[in-house]
Amino acid sequence: MDWLYALMPIAGVEIFWPGLIILGLGVGMIGGFFGMGGGWMVTPGLNILGFPMAFAIGTDIAQMAGPALISTARHTRFGNVDYKLGLIMVAGTVGGFEAGAQLIMWLERMGKVDFYVRATYLVLLTLIAWLVFTDVSRKMRKDREARAAGKALDKLSTGIEWHKRLHNIRIPPVVHFQRAGIRCSAWLPISVSFLTGLLAGVMGIGGGLIRMPALIYLIGCPTHLAVGTDLFEVAISGLYGAASYSYKGRTELMAAVIMLMGASVGAQIGSVATKYVKGYGIRIFFGFAVVGCAVSIVFKLIAAASPVLRAFFDKAATVLILGLVTSLSLYIFTRFLLGVREELAAKRMYRASV
Amino acid sequence: MLTRSTRLRQLGILLLLIPTQLLAAAGKAEAIVIVADSRSFTGWKAWWTNLYNESHFLFALATIVIIPTLGVILGTLTGLLLSRIGIDLRSRELAEH
């Protein structure tokens, strides 16, 4: 079975290459569906397959741009990308990310910061999960009340409406984002993207996990628009990250290319699956992904605090992340298959009736 | 018990020492160099490892050209395959949050 293992030229380790394709497939699907790069899922996966941590991070970021570009192109066809909003946010994201990276380097030189970074990450994820599930429960309550009053359900209503207050702060220049249907001060997306970029830089992540909910709850994007626009950002930051990590000599291109074979298929499946799922369906499962990520960080914190329990909780965190990737991928793939079946059946019926 | 002036003096020394510590740490981090072992490879793999060892700039340039190009090619092929199945890949109803 030697043919199932490939020697990586840069990292110098033998890797089970079908594992890379499967990992790419899963992450492509999740990324295309939720609008994120999925660094928090890929890095432990690559590490398990045998990559040293330094190469796992760089390789993950290097391959990220490929599926993100594929998904962005597909979401553009569906009308899910607001390029004007995306470009304005890129400026804030890059500025914030650099500031965050500088901050973390300074903190690292000062001493051990791992614990504080993980703890902040945990607080942030808890906040996002709370936000998502509070929003969903409020939206359900609104729908229930509308049904009880015999009124028609408002498809555009949302549970949490913080963005409406933020839109009222009209500091010039005020910009109209046609595709997203938003009119607000340009400073709103710039400051939100700077903040999410700063946090991403400090946490050492791509930022999709933070930016996607920020686009929904702070800027007021519809869910599908948030997914598409965030993927555009992921593609750009992925390219920047690929250049940066490759220049530092921390990427294994061969692994990235093998992953890309799975990710290109996964990205298309994930993007197309959003056609068949309502915005709130995406939000709910995004919330579950955030909860899973938060629990894995709790495991990592326990492992770091207790040398006796380290081995167990390190493994538990990795198993949890990979389990999450598997279950989310299966969910997305099932929704894709069901949606395709319905669409094809509807087309057949239409053709038969004509 | 330390007097107030002693505490202030100690704080001053600490503040003076911090930049030195930071510079020292930065120096160590920059000194790490990873070299790929190209002896066990032939053909394109040997060329690739040599490129990595000789110039990280060219290595980075090649990476950021190969990844998006390959991504677009593979994505287009997958798109063609999906459209052959009969899925509408050009539109979706966008009427809810």
Side-chain angles (χ1 to χ4, degrees):
Chain A
M1 301 295 265
D2 282 352
W3 62 277
L4 289 174
Y5 289 83
L7 181 62
M8 298 291 132
I10 308 297
V13 286
E14 285 214 328
I15 300 291
F16 178 66
W17 61 264
L20 289 173
I21 296 182
I22 295 165
L23 189 63
L25 184 74
V27 172
M29 266 196 255
I30 294 169
F33 190 79
F34 292 120
M36 52 191 176
W40 56 280
M41 300 174 279
V42 181
T43 308
L46 286 174
N47 197 221
I48 278 196
L49 286 170
F51 276 99
M53 209 50 176
F55 278 100
I57 297 168
T59 305
D60 161 36
I61 289 178
Q63 68 82 36
M64 202 180 275
L69 273 172
I70 298 165
S71 303
T72 306
R74 182 57 55 224
H75 279 285
T76 303
R77 288 288 177 97
F78 293 153
N80 293 345
V81 186
D82 192 314
Y83 281 100
K84 191 172 166 186
L85 177 62
L87 283 171
I88 285 182
M89 286 187 76
V90 163
T93 303
V94 172
F97 196 85
E98 277 304 318
Q102 292 297 325
L103 182 67
I104 202 70
M105 278 167 75
W106 180 73
L107 287 171
E108 267 175 8
R109 285 173 198 150
M110 296 287 286
K112 284 172 74 180
V113 288
D114 280 10
F115 172 80
Y116 296 104
V117 168
R118 283 209 177 114
T120 315
Y121 197 11
L122 185 63
V123 170
L124 198 70
L125 291 178
T126 310
L127 181 73
I128 294 171
W130 172 82
L131 209 59
V132 171
F133 290 115
T134 306
D135 172 45
V136 170
S137 88
R138 281 188 195 172
K139 162 80 174 158
M140 284 167 79
R141 196 175 63 205
K142 274 186 188 175
D143 287 353
R144 264 199 313 272
E145 283 168 2
R147 244 181 258 119
K151 291 178 190 167
L153 294 180
D154 181 5
K155 284 181 176 178
L156 295 174
S157 81
T158 51
I160 287 177
E161 298 186 327
W162 294 352
H163 60 276
K164 286 187 178 172
R165 285 185 194 171
L166 293 169
H167 289 180
N168 287 334
I169 305 168
R170 296 287 173 107
I171 302 167
V174 174
V175 189
H176 178 51
F177 299 107
Q178 205 173 3
R179 182 67 71 180
I182 297 165
R183 185 181 286 278
C184 66
S185 166
W187 294 106
L188 176 63
I190 290 173
S191 48
V192 166
S193 56
F194 183 84
L195 191 69
T196 51
L198 181 82
L199 288 168
V202 169
M203 310 299 171
I205 55 171
L209 201 64
I210 310 170
R211 209 166 38 235
M212 213 284 262
L215 273 161
I216 293 174
Y217 297 116
L218 300 179
I219 295 180
C221 273
T223 314
H224 291 85
L225 247 300
V227 170
T229 308
D230 193 31
L231 277 165
F232 171 60
E233 293 249 332
V234 171
I236 292 177
S237 55
L239 274 178
Y240 175 75
S244 171
Y245 273 89
S246 301
Y247 189 64
K248 286 168 191 145
R250 299 293 198 276
T251 57
E252 179 56 78
L253 187 72
M254 190 168 150
V257 166
I258 296 171
M259 276 186 78
L260 203 51
M261 288 175 192
S264 58
V265 179
Q268 289 279 15
I269 292 174
S271 308
V272 174
T274 60
K275 255 175 65 130
Y276 310 120
V277 182
K278 285 185 176 179
Y280 266 84
I282 297 174
R283 288 189 198 193
I284 291 168
F285 277 89
F286 179 78
F288 285 131
V290 170
V291 169
C293 186
V295 174
S296 82
I297 289 166
V298 171
F299 286 177
K300 286 274 180 192
L301 280 171
I302 296 171
S306 164
V308 184
L309 299 170
R310 180 166 296 161
F312 173 77
F313 277 99
D314 265 341
K315 275 181 192 155
T318 312
V319 168
L320 180 73
I321 291 284
L322 293 184
L324 199 65
V325 173
T326 311
S327 44
L328 284 174
S329 306
L330 284 175
Y331 163 75
I332 295 165
F333 191 60
T334 310
R335 293 304 299 252
F336 169 80
L337 285 181
L338 293 174
V340 169
R341 200 173 67 176
E342 266 179 41
E343 188 181 327
L344 295 181
K347 275 183 183 170
R348 271 197 298 273
M349 279 193 37
Y350 175 75
R351 269 192 231 113
S353 66
V354 172
Chain B
M1 277 292 276
L2 295 171
T3 62
R4 198 173 172 185
S5 63
T6 316
R7 279 183 188 169
L8 279 173
R9 213 178 306 136
Q10 283 179 349
L11 185 68
I13 292 167
L14 187 70
L15 286 173
L16 277 173
L17 283 174
I18 284 172
T20 327
Q21 299 270 334
L22 296 184
L23 285 172
K28 274 180 195 167
E30 280 163 11
I32 300 167
V33 177
I34 301 174
V35 179
D37 184 4
S38 60
R39 291 169 299 180
S40 47
F41 298 107
T42 54
W44 72 268
K45 279 187 181 179
W47 174 79
W48 185 247
T49 44
N50 285 327
L51 179 73
Y52 175 86
N53 289 335
E54 282 159 19
S55 168
H56 279 186
F57 175 73
L58 288 177
F59 176 78
L61 203 64
T63 304
I64 57 164
V65 169
I66 291 168
I67 291 289
T69 310
L70 203 64
V72 168
I73 293 168
L74 291 171
T76 310
L77 288 175
T78 316
L80 283 172
L81 195 74
L82 291 180
S83 61
R84 292 278 293 176
I85 297 169
I87 307 167
D88 176 12
L89 295 174
R90 289 172 192 274
S91 61
R92 76 163 212 97
E93 194 185 328
L94 195 75
E96 36 76 37
H97 251 271

